[in-house]
């Protein structure tokens, strides 16, 4: 006869389960998910000052069109050690005809490409590289966090109520953009994982409840590698 411990399986080794205490901060508008994620990260690091954050947004001219490179510059502004990994060093011209990018593409292309071009001189660390789930887990295991660009139409939380109480881009009662089959870019904050169950823990700024979201690694991978994301991931380090 097996004991309860034996029935439960082998104990988890250090690094098999990580759940970091990253606070949830909900986005205010349909466009500011990246800024909400940045606030979460800065608060986790103990560096969030609301007045300074607003000044930084004005200085960096961050308005209604936020790209991952903008968030990298924002981390640099606060002296936060970071590493921005992407598949495209600049704007992919193939996105011009995508509904998500179409409205701001022409006005944003030059600005975003200039940010990439000036990154090295501005000490903003950007690399063209491929990141594996194992790389992400190793990063989280050290107490660090990451902001990831995903396709919200693909990402599914196993903990959230169904049907969805809050849309990824609009308050309850408004048209839900995430129900379209087209790409819908959205930023989330990674905060842990469970190797035994094969899941990833994250904060979704579109949700006030349940506070922490969870999805399978396969769903996470599908969402973060969807065409339109460039597989953008902004690694942020605790020892900043």
């Amino acid at each position: 006869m097996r004991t309860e411990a034996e029935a439960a399986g082998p104990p988890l080794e250090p690094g098999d389960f990580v759940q970091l205490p990253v606070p949830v901060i909900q986005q205010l508008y349909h466009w500011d998910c990246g800024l909400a994620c940045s606030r979460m990260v800065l608060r986790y690091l103990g560096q969030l000052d609301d007045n300074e954050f607003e000044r930084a947004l004005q200085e960096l001219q961050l308005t209604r069109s936020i790209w991952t490179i903008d968030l990298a510059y924002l981390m640099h502004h606060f002296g936060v050690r970071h590493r921005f990994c992407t598949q495209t060093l600049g704007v992919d011209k193939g996105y011009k005809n995508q509904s998500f990018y179409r409205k701001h593409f022409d006005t944003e292309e030059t600005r975003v490409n200039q940010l990439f071009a000036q990154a090295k001189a501005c000490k903003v660390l950007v690399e063209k590289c491929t990141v594996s789930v194992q790389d992400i887990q190793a990063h989280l295991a050290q107490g660090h966090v990451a902001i990831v660009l995903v396709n919200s139409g693909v990402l599914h939380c196993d903990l959230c109520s169904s049907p969805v109480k809050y849309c990824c881009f609009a308050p309850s009662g408004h048209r839900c953009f995430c129900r379209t089959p087209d790409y819908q870019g959205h930023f989330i904050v990674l905060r842990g994982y469970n190797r035994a169950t094969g899941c990833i823990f994250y904060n979704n700024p579109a949700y006030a409840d349940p506070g922490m979201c969870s999805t399978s690694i396969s769903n996470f991978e599908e969402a973060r590698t969807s065409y339109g994301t460039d597989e953008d991931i902004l690694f942020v380090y605790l020892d900043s």
Side-chain angles (χ1 to χ4, degrees):
M1 182 174 177
R2 294 187 301 168
T3 65
E4 288 186 12
E6 290 171 332
L12 291 175
E13 295 295 326
D16 282 346
F17 181 88
V18 174
Q19 190 177 114
L20 303 175
V22 181
V24 178
I25 297 178
Q26 194 169 14
Q27 64 192 88
L28 300 177
Y29 311 101
H30 70 277
W31 55 268
D32 67 334
C33 55
L35 301 184
C37 287
S38 297
R39 287 179 183 271
M40 293 186 218
V41 168
L42 290 171
R43 182 166 291 174
Y44 173 68
L45 298 176
Q47 297 190 35
L48 180 60
D49 179 289
D50 289 330
N51 292 329
E52 177 58 28
F53 191 84
E54 292 302 322
R55 284 194 293 270
L57 299 187
Q58 294 178 13
E59 181 178 321
L60 297 173
Q61 299 180 354
L62 301 184
T63 54
R64 292 192 171 212
S65 183
I66 307 296
W67 297 60
T68 318
I69 187 69
D70 290 313
L71 305 184
Y73 272 81
L74 189 57
M75 290 299 115
H76 175 262
H77 176 92
F78 285 96
V80 173
R81 189 159 72 92
H82 62 279
R83 177 177 169 235
F84 171 25
C85 296
T86 181
Q87 292 295 304
T88 308
L89 297 176
V91 177
D92 186 335
K93 288 185 177 295
Y95 297 159
K96 184 172 184 176
N97 295 320
Q98 279 204 326
S99 59
F100 182 80
Y101 288 102
R102 190 182 300 132
K103 183 177 179 181
H104 300 287
F105 190 90
D106 291 335
T107 55
E108 287 290 279
E109 183 180 16
T110 300
R111 181 186 76 84
V112 172
N113 282 336
Q114 188 173 32
L115 289 176
F116 273 95
Q118 297 173 344
K120 186 175 182 180
C122 293
K123 299 185 189 302
V124 174
L125 183 57
V126 181
E127 296 180 25
K128 182 178 180 179
C129 58
T130 298
V131 176
S132 69
V133 171
Q134 290 74 26
D135 294 331
I136 293 171
Q137 290 175 331
H139 180 77
L140 294 169
Q142 298 300 310
H144 310 313
V145 292
I147 299 175
V148 183
L149 180 61
V150 298
N151 182 351
S152 69
V154 172
L155 189 68
H156 171 74
C157 175
D158 296 326
L159 302 179
C160 291
S161 59
S162 182
V164 177
K165 290 170 62 178
Y166 305 100
C167 175
C168 305
F169 291 94
S172 179
H174 289 67
R175 186 168 84 87
C176 186
F177 294 95
C178 64
R179 295 178 188 268
T180 173
D182 296 335
Y183 166 76
Q184 290 294 323
H186 188 56
F187 290 106
I188 61 173
V189 178
L190 300 188
R191 58 181 290 180
Y193 59 87
N194 185 337
R195 289 191 199 275
T197 59
C199 66
I200 292 284
F201 302 134
Y202 64 95
N203 287 356
N204 186 339
Y207 293 81
D209 179 49
M212 183 186 76
C213 290
S214 174
T215 192
S216 65
I217 287 177
S218 59
N219 179 247
F220 170 67
E221 284 292 274
E222 183 183 3
R224 81 174 183 95
T225 60
S226 291
Y227 181 72
T229 66
D230 284 327
E231 298 185 28
D232 284 2
I233 179 166
L234 179 60
F235 289 110
V236 179
Y237 296 85
L238 186 62
D239 53 343
S240 297

